[in-house]
Amino acid sequence: MLELNAEPLTAEAFAPFGDVIDARTSDSFPINSGRTQRHHDLAKVDTLGENAHTLVSIFVSQPITTPLELTFLERHPQGSQAFMPLHEERFIVVVAPAGETIDSGDVRAFVTDGRQGVNYGAGVWHAIQSVLEREGEFLVVDRGGDGNNCDEHPLDLRITLKD
Ligand SMILES: NC(=O)N[C@@H](O)C(=O)O
Ligand code: NI
């Protein structure tokens, strides 16, 4: 069993795995006669393979408790996957670099602060949606199309949250 303590999510620490989506730290410019700030192009959306297209969905997730015990990580080889909380929900993020196998020394665990979303790069191993404290609603942008887009890799993990 691999035990990890979830660390606060930062764009720098998450960079090898994808993008952190956060209006507080992103560049923006005024539009709509200055009434709106556009926080522009915050995540790299990839949709690969036959008949690939972008899906916009809403996930309503039941909360998990910590320590969070996992038995696998998953990946989407044909596309990225972004999760943005709609009501400042905090969630646990567990990732490992893209590749055919997972080296347990490369696994990282993070906790978001409610204002952050994540975009997993295509092929990046990650835990399934794991919202904390209450039922969560997330806008999800990922890939639709032909062929398999979800692989699982067995891995026994225990994720703790030291506040
Ligand atoms: N299966 C699905 O759509 N969701 C997972 O990919 C996940 O990362 O939660
Ligand atoms: Ni996923």
Side-chain angles (χ1 to χ4, degrees):
M1 173 78 73
L2 176 62
E3 304 218 10
L4 291 172
N5 182 51
E7 56 190 279
L9 179 69
T10 66
E12 296 73 22
F14 194 73
F17 309 104
D19 313 285
V20 171
I21 304 168
D22 189 338
R24 298 166 301 179
T25 56
S26 54
D27 294 335
S28 67
F29 52 86
I31 58 173
N32 301 345
S33 311
R35 261 211 331 249
T36 299
Q37 277 301 106
R38 180 176 174 131
H39 296 262
H40 181 69
D41 192 13
L42 301 185
K44 182 173 182 297
V45 177
D46 284 321
T47 57
L48 311 169
E50 284 298 303
N51 297 317
H53 56 280
T54 304
L55 300 174
V56 177
S57 309
I58 288 179
F59 284 22
V60 177
S61 298
Q62 296 312 307
I64 53 98
T65 54
T66 54
L68 171 64
E69 301 217 346
L70 300 168
T71 59
F72 69 92
L73 295 183
E74 63 163 38
R75 68 175 177 181
H76 309 300
Q78 299 201 76
S80 56
Q81 187 175 50
F83 290 89
M84 191 66 202
L86 297 179
H87 311 290
E88 297 199 5
E89 298 91 337
R90 297 169 65 223
F91 59 106
I92 297 282
V93 174
V94 184
V95 285
E100 287 314 303
T101 58
I102 296 176
D103 178 335
S104 57
D106 293 337
V107 182
R108 294 289 178 273
F110 300 99
V111 57
T112 67
D113 68 4
R115 296 288 302 277
Q116 297 164 310
V118 293
N119 180 54
Y120 301 117
V124 169
W125 295 101
H126 56 277
I128 58 173
Q129 223 304 314
S130 302
V131 66
L132 291 162
E133 292 136 9
R134 58 193 162 97
E135 179 179 276
E137 247 188 339
F138 293 82
L139 187 72
V140 178
V141 179
D142 58 6
R143 180 261 188 199
D146 297 352
N148 170 57
N149 191 34
C150 190
D151 299 325
E152 292 185 0
H153 186 301
L155 191 63
D156 289 330
L157 287 158
R158 180 178 293 124
I159 310 299
T160 55
L161 194 52
K162 293 190 182 99
D163 285 320

